[in-house]
Amino acid sequence: MKKILSIRLNYLRSEEHFQFLTLVRNLLNLFPAALALLAVLYEPFLALLAQEGLLVDALRSSSLTDRLADIDRLIDRLLVGINNIVQAGRHHFDSAKVNAANRIYIRMKAFGDIENKSYEGVSAALGILIMDLRTHYAADIALLGLGEWLDQLEAAHLEFDTLFNQRNMEWADRPDVKLKDIRRRIDSFYRQIVDRINAAALLETKEGVYDDLIRQLNQEITYFNDHAPHHAKKDVAHVAVADIPTQSYTGKPVIVIPTVFFTQPDKPDVELTFAKDFTVTYKDNEAIGTATLIIHGKGAYTGTREITFQIKN
């Protein structure tokens, strides 16, 4: 007997969630026997789906969305410009500039491809990168003439953060039914629909009444499971972390971005990307002594891992 596969609906982003359930609706409409079976559930399901569509459209067309996209593109251009100057510096005739450019190149590379991160990832990565360049790499920034570029990047990041938070608040404060609540309710109806179809397929006496429906639905589920952004989360509690060298006391919070690898038996290690796969927080990182860095899983990774490093004069 065929059975409808499981799907982690909570792993799907807003538009993906709406797209999947719209496909479910369209598929059910092709099978009159299924609609008759689901008569009590189908109308509430359609009503919730319509509400979800309106909310997703509203999110997509938020008054702040266009400006956010403009600032995001500006940040991309600034990062490209900074990277070009750094790359040129790595081939400079002045060895001091070569060394400075190499140090900045290595630090920026640790943040991965910021231009292709989600809005949340851009915000998190830029905040720490800018702080890092302002403190630990201030002399290198000055030597390469990147001060104005960094000023522009910081101003763009501040506006981006402000707009991003405003948009999220605008969305959270809607007087109508919240998207999160709609998703919770429609997911419940979807699970009931699946249970009824699976039960009917198990009890049917006429071979194959629901087989084609289940086969087509499973094709869609397989696609969304394979492409869900948070599919198959892995626990960072067991990641390998490269040793963090002793840091110099500066009187300010010491910011360190660790090199982190996810390891599995009989598989090659996978280096994780900051802001995409993990973020970090700190304890006791402002004074001389032992500081603690906490790695927080993000995206496809979950859980936390604590490591320590030393701060000395």
Side-chain angles (χ1 to χ4, degrees), residues 83-124:
N83 278 318
N84 286 342
I85 294 172
V86 169
Q87 290 291 356
R90 297 178 71 200
H91 302 282
H92 203 278
F93 59 82
D94 185 339
S95 62
K97 291 189 175 182
V98 171
N99 292 334
N102 282 333
R103 284 190 291 269
I104 294 176
Y105 170 78
I106 292 171
R107 176 47 61 209
M108 293 185 69
K109 187 175 175 60
F111 287 82
D113 189 2
I114 294 177
E115 295 95 322
N116 291 325
K117 295 184 187 301
S118 66
Y119 280 174
E120 185 180 16
V122 169
S123 179

mmCIF file of all heavy atoms in Angstrom, residues 83-124:
data_model
loop_
_atom_site.group_PDB
_atom_site.id
_atom_site.type_symbol
_atom_site.label_atom_id
_atom_site.label_comp_id
_atom_site.label_asym_id
_atom_site.label_seq_id
_atom_site.Cartn_x
_atom_site.Cartn_y
_atom_site.Cartn_z
ATOM 1 N N ASN A 83 36.554 44.353 -1.507
ATOM 2 C CA ASN A 83 37.285 43.144 -1.919
ATOM 3 C C ASN A 83 38.252 43.438 -3.060
ATOM 4 O O ASN A 83 39.366 42.900 -3.101
ATOM 5 C CB ASN A 83 36.297 42.050 -2.334
ATOM 6 C CG ASN A 83 35.726 41.292 -1.145
ATOM 7 O OD1 ASN A 83 36.449 40.967 -0.208
ATOM 8 N ND2 ASN A 83 34.440 41.024 -1.163
ATOM 9 N N ASN A 84 37.847 44.289 -3.997
ATOM 10 C CA ASN A 84 38.732 44.627 -5.118
ATOM 11 C C ASN A 84 39.978 45.365 -4.628
ATOM 12 O O ASN A 84 41.098 45.109 -5.102
ATOM 13 C CB ASN A 84 37.983 45.488 -6.138
ATOM 14 C CG ASN A 84 36.978 44.692 -6.945
ATOM 15 O OD1 ASN A 84 37.050 43.467 -7.008
ATOM 16 N ND2 ASN A 84 36.028 45.380 -7.553
ATOM 17 N N ILE A 85 39.790 46.291 -3.693
ATOM 18 C CA ILE A 85 40.938 47.022 -3.144
ATOM 19 C C ILE A 85 41.859 46.077 -2.372
ATOM 20 O O ILE A 85 43.093 46.155 -2.473
ATOM 21 C CB ILE A 85 40.457 48.174 -2.242
ATOM 22 C CG1 ILE A 85 39.727 49.220 -3.082
ATOM 23 C CG2 ILE A 85 41.631 48.816 -1.500
ATOM 24 C CD1 ILE A 85 39.050 50.305 -2.276
ATOM 25 N N VAL A 86 41.258 45.166 -1.606
ATOM 26 C CA VAL A 86 42.058 44.193 -0.846
ATOM 27 C C VAL A 86 42.835 43.297 -1.803
ATOM 28 O O VAL A 86 44.036 43.028 -1.593
ATOM 29 C CB VAL A 86 41.149 43.363 0.081
ATOM 30 C CG1 VAL A 86 41.915 42.187 0.669
ATOM 31 C CG2 VAL A 86 40.596 44.249 1.204
ATOM 32 N N GLN A 87 42.180 42.832 -2.864
ATOM 33 C CA GLN A 87 42.867 41.966 -3.826
ATOM 34 C C GLN A 87 44.022 42.706 -4.501
ATOM 35 O O GLN A 87 45.106 42.144 -4.711
ATOM 36 C CB GLN A 87 41.874 41.458 -4.886
ATOM 37 C CG GLN A 87 40.860 40.460 -4.376
ATOM 38 C CD GLN A 87 41.486 39.119 -4.020
ATOM 39 O OE1 GLN A 87 42.680 38.885 -4.218
ATOM 40 N NE2 GLN A 87 40.690 38.226 -3.454
ATOM 41 N N ALA A 88 43.800 43.986 -4.837
ATOM 42 C CA ALA A 88 44.885 44.775 -5.431
ATOM 43 C C ALA A 88 46.029 44.942 -4.435
ATOM 44 O O ALA A 88 47.211 44.859 -4.799
ATOM 45 C CB ALA A 88 44.349 46.138 -5.865
ATOM 46 N N GLY A 89 45.681 45.162 -3.161
ATOM 47 C CA GLY A 89 46.714 45.313 -2.133
ATOM 48 C C GLY A 89 47.565 44.080 -1.958
ATOM 49 O O GLY A 89 48.746 44.169 -1.607
ATOM 50 N N ARG A 90 47.000 42.920 -2.201
ATOM 51 C CA ARG A 90 47.767 41.669 -2.062
ATOM 52 C C ARG A 90 48.859 41.551 -3.127
ATOM 53 O O ARG A 90 49.746 40.705 -3.016
ATOM 54 C CB ARG A 90 46.823 40.475 -2.146
ATOM 55 C CG ARG A 90 45.787 40.430 -1.025
ATOM 56 C CD ARG A 90 44.841 39.256 -1.181
ATOM 57 N NE ARG A 90 45.509 38.003 -0.902
ATOM 58 C CZ ARG A 90 45.079 36.801 -1.311
ATOM 59 N NH1 ARG A 90 43.983 36.725 -2.047
ATOM 60 N NH2 ARG A 90 45.740 35.721 -0.996
ATOM 61 N N HIS A 91 48.785 42.404 -4.151
ATOM 62 C CA HIS A 91 49.795 42.396 -5.221
ATOM 63 C C HIS A 91 50.568 43.721 -5.268
ATOM 64 O O HIS A 91 51.208 44.032 -6.265
ATOM 65 C CB HIS A 91 49.112 42.149 -6.570
ATOM 66 C CG HIS A 91 48.341 40.864 -6.642
ATOM 67 N ND1 HIS A 91 48.954 39.640 -6.817
ATOM 68 C CD2 HIS A 91 47.018 40.612 -6.505
ATOM 69 C CE1 HIS A 91 48.025 38.685 -6.830
ATOM 70 N NE2 HIS A 91 46.848 39.248 -6.624
ATOM 71 N N HIS A 92 50.526 44.462 -4.173
ATOM 72 C CA HIS A 92 51.180 45.770 -4.121
ATOM 73 C C HIS A 92 52.694 45.606 -4.033
ATOM 74 O O HIS A 92 53.202 44.594 -3.541
ATOM 75 C CB HIS A 92 50.659 46.552 -2.909
ATOM 76 C CG HIS A 92 50.803 48.024 -3.031
ATOM 77 N ND1 HIS A 92 51.990 48.681 -2.753
ATOM 78 C CD2 HIS A 92 49.915 48.976 -3.407
ATOM 79 C CE1 HIS A 92 51.816 49.976 -2.941
ATOM 80 N NE2 HIS A 92 50.571 50.187 -3.334
ATOM 81 N N PHE A 93 53.409 46.644 -4.492
ATOM 82 C CA PHE A 93 54.875 46.590 -4.405
ATOM 83 C C PHE A 93 55.365 46.822 -2.982
ATOM 84 O O PHE A 93 56.487 46.463 -2.635
ATOM 85 C CB PHE A 93 55.503 47.633 -5.349
ATOM 86 C CG PHE A 93 55.085 49.048 -5.070
ATOM 87 C CD1 PHE A 93 55.703 49.798 -4.065
ATOM 88 C CD2 PHE A 93 54.067 49.633 -5.798
ATOM 89 C CE1 PHE A 93 55.320 51.092 -3.800
ATOM 90 C CE2 PHE A 93 53.680 50.942 -5.536
ATOM 91 C CZ PHE A 93 54.302 51.679 -4.544
ATOM 92 N N ASP A 94 54.518 47.431 -2.136
ATOM 93 C CA ASP A 94 54.873 47.712 -0.745
ATOM 94 C C ASP A 94 54.513 46.493 0.110
ATOM 95 O O ASP A 94 53.335 46.138 0.242
ATOM 96 C CB ASP A 94 54.110 48.952 -0.267
ATOM 97 C CG ASP A 94 54.509 49.379 1.141
ATOM 98 O OD1 ASP A 94 55.042 48.549 1.894
ATOM 99 O OD2 ASP A 94 54.260 50.554 1.489
ATOM 100 N N SER A 95 55.483 45.848 0.695
ATOM 101 C CA SER A 95 55.235 44.621 1.450
ATOM 102 C C SER A 95 54.317 44.853 2.650
ATOM 103 O O SER A 95 53.547 43.971 3.038
ATOM 104 C CB SER A 95 56.558 44.011 1.916
ATOM 105 O OG SER A 95 57.251 44.903 2.786
ATOM 106 N N ALA A 96 54.370 46.059 3.240
ATOM 107 C CA ALA A 96 53.495 46.350 4.375
ATOM 108 C C ALA A 96 52.025 46.322 3.936
ATOM 109 O O ALA A 96 51.158 45.817 4.659
ATOM 110 C CB ALA A 96 53.839 47.715 4.967
ATOM 111 N N LYS A 97 51.756 46.855 2.744
ATOM 112 C CA LYS A 97 50.385 46.826 2.229
ATOM 113 C C LYS A 97 49.977 45.406 1.842
ATOM 114 O O LYS A 97 48.810 45.032 1.995
ATOM 115 C CB LYS A 97 50.237 47.778 1.050
ATOM 116 C CG LYS A 97 50.343 49.250 1.452
ATOM 117 C CD LYS A 97 49.975 50.182 0.310
ATOM 118 C CE LYS A 97 49.981 51.634 0.780
ATOM 119 N NZ LYS A 97 49.574 52.576 -0.277
ATOM 120 N N VAL A 98 50.909 44.639 1.326
ATOM 121 C CA VAL A 98 50.617 43.239 1.008
ATOM 122 C C VAL A 98 50.200 42.493 2.273
ATOM 123 O O VAL A 98 49.196 41.764 2.281
ATOM 124 C CB VAL A 98 51.836 42.559 0.352
ATOM 125 C CG1 VAL A 98 51.599 41.049 0.228
ATOM 126 C CG2 VAL A 98 52.119 43.161 -1.018
ATOM 127 N N ASN A 99 50.965 42.684 3.344
ATOM 128 C CA ASN A 99 50.647 42.003 4.605
ATOM 129 C C ASN A 99 49.303 42.461 5.164
ATOM 130 O O ASN A 99 48.514 41.653 5.657
ATOM 131 C CB ASN A 99 51.757 42.258 5.627
ATOM 132 C CG ASN A 99 53.070 41.594 5.245
ATOM 133 O OD1 ASN A 99 53.075 40.583 4.525
ATOM 134 N ND2 ASN A 99 54.183 42.138 5.692
ATOM 135 N N ALA A 100 49.053 43.762 5.088
ATOM 136 C CA ALA A 100 47.777 44.284 5.573
ATOM 137 C C ALA A 100 46.614 43.713 4.772
ATOM 138 O O ALA A 100 45.588 43.298 5.332
ATOM 139 C CB ALA A 100 47.770 45.814 5.489
ATOM 140 N N ALA A 101 46.757 43.682 3.441
ATOM 141 C CA ALA A 101 45.691 43.163 2.577
ATOM 142 C C ALA A 101 45.458 41.672 2.838
ATOM 143 O O ALA A 101 44.314 41.214 2.846
ATOM 144 C CB ALA A 101 46.052 43.391 1.111
ATOM 145 N N ASN A 102 46.524 40.936 3.055
ATOM 146 C CA ASN A 102 46.375 39.503 3.327
ATOM 147 C C ASN A 102 45.630 39.252 4.636
ATOM 148 O O ASN A 102 44.807 38.340 4.729
ATOM 149 C CB ASN A 102 47.747 38.826 3.358
ATOM 150 C CG ASN A 102 48.303 38.576 1.969
ATOM 151 O OD1 ASN A 102 47.550 38.430 1.012
ATOM 152 N ND2 ASN A 102 49.623 38.542 1.847
ATOM 153 N N ARG A 103 45.936 40.074 5.642
ATOM 154 C CA ARG A 103 45.253 39.904 6.926
ATOM 155 C C ARG A 103 43.747 40.189 6.785
ATOM 156 O O ARG A 103 42.904 39.447 7.313
ATOM 157 C CB ARG A 103 45.872 40.826 7.987
ATOM 158 C CG ARG A 103 47.214 40.320 8.517
ATOM 159 C CD ARG A 103 47.661 41.133 9.715
ATOM 160 N NE ARG A 103 48.034 42.501 9.355
ATOM 161 C CZ ARG A 103 49.269 42.885 9.029
ATOM 162 N NH1 ARG A 103 50.250 42.002 9.026
ATOM 163 N NH2 ARG A 103 49.521 44.159 8.734
ATOM 164 N N ILE A 104 43.416 41.265 6.076
ATOM 165 C CA ILE A 104 41.998 41.597 5.893
ATOM 166 C C ILE A 104 41.318 40.541 5.022
ATOM 167 O O ILE A 104 40.172 40.147 5.279
ATOM 168 C CB ILE A 104 41.851 42.996 5.275
ATOM 169 C CG1 ILE A 104 42.347 44.051 6.265
ATOM 170 C CG2 ILE A 104 40.395 43.275 4.893
ATOM 171 C CD1 ILE A 104 42.336 45.457 5.714
ATOM 172 N N TYR A 105 42.007 40.071 4.006
ATOM 173 C CA TYR A 105 41.442 39.041 3.114
ATOM 174 C C TYR A 105 41.076 37.785 3.903
ATOM 175 O O TYR A 105 39.981 37.229 3.744
ATOM 176 C CB TYR A 105 42.459 38.700 2.026
ATOM 177 C CG TYR A 105 42.079 37.493 1.201
ATOM 178 C CD1 TYR A 105 41.116 37.590 0.202
ATOM 179 C CD2 TYR A 105 42.675 36.255 1.429
ATOM 180 C CE1 TYR A 105 40.766 36.479 -0.551
ATOM 181 C CE2 TYR A 105 42.324 35.145 0.690
ATOM 182 C CZ TYR A 105 41.371 35.265 -0.310
ATOM 183 O OH TYR A 105 41.024 34.164 -1.040
ATOM 184 N N ILE A 106 41.975 37.351 4.770
ATOM 185 C CA ILE A 106 41.730 36.137 5.563
ATOM 186 C C ILE A 106 40.543 36.348 6.501
ATOM 187 O O ILE A 106 39.694 35.474 6.665
ATOM 188 C CB ILE A 106 42.991 35.750 6.351
ATOM 189 C CG1 ILE A 106 44.083 35.280 5.386
ATOM 190 C CG2 ILE A 106 42.684 34.660 7.370
ATOM 191 C CD1 ILE A 106 45.443 35.084 6.027
ATOM 192 N N ARG A 107 40.486 37.538 7.136
ATOM 193 C CA ARG A 107 39.380 37.802 8.055
ATOM 194 C C ARG A 107 38.042 37.838 7.319
ATOM 195 O O ARG A 107 37.051 37.258 7.762
ATOM 196 C CB ARG A 107 39.624 39.125 8.784
ATOM 197 C CG ARG A 107 38.500 39.577 9.700
ATOM 198 C CD ARG A 107 37.973 38.499 10.611
ATOM 199 N NE ARG A 107 38.964 37.966 11.504
ATOM 200 C CZ ARG A 107 38.961 36.730 11.976
ATOM 201 N NH1 ARG A 107 38.008 35.882 11.617
ATOM 202 N NH2 ARG A 107 39.898 36.314 12.797
ATOM 203 N N MET A 108 37.983 38.508 6.168
ATOM 204 C CA MET A 108 36.724 38.603 5.424
ATOM 205 C C MET A 108 36.307 37.247 4.863
ATOM 206 O O MET A 108 35.121 36.929 4.806
ATOM 207 C CB MET A 108 36.849 39.634 4.297
ATOM 208 C CG MET A 108 37.006 41.062 4.794
ATOM 209 S SD MET A 108 37.016 42.297 3.485
ATOM 210 C CE MET A 108 35.311 42.225 2.922
ATOM 211 N N LYS A 109 37.284 36.446 4.480
ATOM 212 C CA LYS A 109 36.977 35.128 3.933
ATOM 213 C C LYS A 109 36.293 34.242 4.983
ATOM 214 O O LYS A 109 35.472 33.386 4.653
ATOM 215 C CB LYS A 109 38.258 34.458 3.436
ATOM 216 C CG LYS A 109 38.035 33.144 2.685
ATOM 217 C CD LYS A 109 39.343 32.625 2.122
ATOM 218 C CE LYS A 109 39.147 31.249 1.464
ATOM 219 N NZ LYS A 109 38.189 31.293 0.357
ATOM 220 N N ALA A 110 36.615 34.469 6.263
ATOM 221 C CA ALA A 110 36.011 33.668 7.332
ATOM 222 C C ALA A 110 34.499 33.875 7.425
ATOM 223 O O ALA A 110 33.789 33.032 7.977
ATOM 224 C CB ALA A 110 36.657 34.015 8.672
ATOM 225 N N PHE A 111 34.007 34.976 6.864
ATOM 226 C CA PHE A 111 32.576 35.274 6.936
ATOM 227 C C PHE A 111 31.800 34.686 5.765
ATOM 228 O O PHE A 111 30.589 34.816 5.695
ATOM 229 C CB PHE A 111 32.364 36.783 6.996
ATOM 230 C CG PHE A 111 32.739 37.379 8.319
ATOM 231 C CD1 PHE A 111 34.070 37.671 8.605
ATOM 232 C CD2 PHE A 111 31.792 37.624 9.289
ATOM 233 C CE1 PHE A 111 34.427 38.214 9.826
ATOM 234 C CE2 PHE A 111 32.146 38.163 10.519
ATOM 235 C CZ PHE A 111 33.468 38.447 10.785
ATOM 236 N N GLY A 112 32.491 34.046 4.838
ATOM 237 C CA GLY A 112 31.795 33.440 3.715
ATOM 238 C C GLY A 112 31.302 34.487 2.726
ATOM 239 O O GLY A 112 31.729 35.641 2.729
ATOM 240 N N ASP A 113 30.371 34.086 1.879
ATOM 241 C CA ASP A 113 29.841 34.940 0.817
ATOM 242 C C ASP A 113 28.678 35.758 1.368
ATOM 243 O O ASP A 113 27.512 35.373 1.258
ATOM 244 C CB ASP A 113 29.392 34.061 -0.350
ATOM 245 C CG ASP A 113 29.024 34.881 -1.571
ATOM 246 O OD1 ASP A 113 29.153 36.120 -1.501
ATOM 247 O OD2 ASP A 113 28.605 34.298 -2.585
ATOM 248 N N ILE A 114 28.980 36.903 1.967
ATOM 249 C CA ILE A 114 27.949 37.718 2.607
ATOM 250 C C ILE A 114 26.889 38.147 1.594
ATOM 251 O O ILE A 114 25.696 38.226 1.915
ATOM 252 C CB ILE A 114 28.575 38.951 3.276
ATOM 253 C CG1 ILE A 114 29.481 38.512 4.446
ATOM 254 C CG2 ILE A 114 27.506 39.916 3.779
ATOM 255 C CD1 ILE A 114 30.200 39.648 5.134
ATOM 256 N N GLU A 115 27.301 38.417 0.340
ATOM 257 C CA GLU A 115 26.365 38.919 -0.665
ATOM 258 C C GLU A 115 25.206 37.953 -0.914
ATOM 259 O O GLU A 115 24.118 38.384 -1.308
ATOM 260 C CB GLU A 115 27.096 39.174 -2.001
ATOM 261 C CG GLU A 115 28.138 40.287 -1.935
ATOM 262 C CD GLU A 115 29.533 39.750 -1.663
ATOM 263 O OE1 GLU A 115 29.652 38.786 -0.873
ATOM 264 O OE2 GLU A 115 30.489 40.279 -2.243
ATOM 265 N N ASN A 116 25.417 36.665 -0.684
ATOM 266 C CA ASN A 116 24.379 35.682 -0.984
ATOM 267 C C ASN A 116 23.657 35.167 0.258
ATOM 268 O O ASN A 116 22.910 34.194 0.182
ATOM 269 C CB ASN A 116 24.986 34.495 -1.745
ATOM 270 C CG ASN A 116 25.409 34.887 -3.150
ATOM 271 O OD1 ASN A 116 24.762 35.699 -3.786
ATOM 272 N ND2 ASN A 116 26.510 34.333 -3.621
ATOM 273 N N LYS A 117 23.877 35.815 1.400
ATOM 274 C CA LYS A 117 23.203 35.381 2.618
ATOM 275 C C LYS A 117 21.784 35.933 2.680
ATOM 276 O O LYS A 117 21.436 36.891 1.993
ATOM 277 C CB LYS A 117 23.995 35.837 3.852
ATOM 278 C CG LYS A 117 25.375 35.201 3.990
ATOM 279 C CD LYS A 117 26.029 35.648 5.284
ATOM 280 C CE LYS A 117 27.481 35.158 5.379
ATOM 281 N NZ LYS A 117 27.582 33.715 5.305
ATOM 282 N N SER A 118 20.975 35.336 3.541
ATOM 283 C CA SER A 118 19.652 35.873 3.811
ATOM 284 C C SER A 118 19.787 37.226 4.487
ATOM 285 O O SER A 118 20.869 37.596 4.964
ATOM 286 C CB SER A 118 18.876 34.925 4.730
ATOM 287 O OG SER A 118 19.492 34.881 6.012
ATOM 288 N N TYR A 119 18.687 37.993 4.562
ATOM 289 C CA TYR A 119 18.731 39.288 5.230
ATOM 290 C C TYR A 119 19.236 39.151 6.669
ATOM 291 O O TYR A 119 20.034 39.943 7.155
ATOM 292 C CB TYR A 119 17.345 39.923 5.238
ATOM 293 C CG TYR A 119 16.969 40.588 3.930
ATOM 294 C CD1 TYR A 119 15.695 41.103 3.729
ATOM 295 C CD2 TYR A 119 17.880 40.718 2.886
ATOM 296 C CE1 TYR A 119 15.335 41.727 2.545
ATOM 297 C CE2 TYR A 119 17.541 41.321 1.703
ATOM 298 C CZ TYR A 119 16.262 41.831 1.529
ATOM 299 O OH TYR A 119 15.923 42.442 0.359
ATOM 300 N N GLU A 120 18.756 38.130 7.371
ATOM 301 C CA GLU A 120 19.199 37.915 8.749
ATOM 302 C C GLU A 120 20.692 37.617 8.789
ATOM 303 O O GLU A 120 21.417 38.103 9.659
ATOM 304 C CB GLU A 120 18.414 36.756 9.359
ATOM 305 C CG GLU A 120 18.712 36.518 10.824
ATOM 306 C CD GLU A 120 17.918 35.360 11.395
ATOM 307 O OE1 GLU A 120 17.380 34.565 10.613
ATOM 308 O OE2 GLU A 120 17.854 35.263 12.623
ATOM 309 N N GLY A 121 21.164 36.822 7.831
ATOM 310 C CA GLY A 121 22.582 36.486 7.770
ATOM 311 C C GLY A 121 23.447 37.690 7.460
ATOM 312 O O GLY A 121 24.527 37.859 8.028
ATOM 313 N N VAL A 122 22.980 38.544 6.535
ATOM 314 C CA VAL A 122 23.713 39.772 6.205
ATOM 315 C C VAL A 122 23.868 40.640 7.444
ATOM 316 O O VAL A 122 24.960 41.134 7.749
ATOM 317 C CB VAL A 122 22.981 40.556 5.087
ATOM 318 C CG1 VAL A 122 23.577 41.957 4.940
ATOM 319 C CG2 VAL A 122 23.076 39.812 3.765
ATOM 320 N N SER A 123 22.781 40.821 8.168
ATOM 321 C CA SER A 123 22.802 41.684 9.352
ATOM 322 C C SER A 123 23.789 41.170 10.396
ATOM 323 O O SER A 123 24.607 41.926 10.925
ATOM 324 C CB SER A 123 21.395 41.764 9.950
ATOM 325 O OG SER A 123 21.401 42.562 11.104
ATOM 326 N N ALA A 124 23.719 39.863 10.691
ATOM 327 C CA ALA A 124 24.595 39.289 11.714
ATOM 328 C C ALA A 124 26.062 39.342 11.300
ATOM 329 O O ALA A 124 26.935 39.729 12.078
ATOM 330 C CB ALA A 124 24.177 37.850 12.002
#
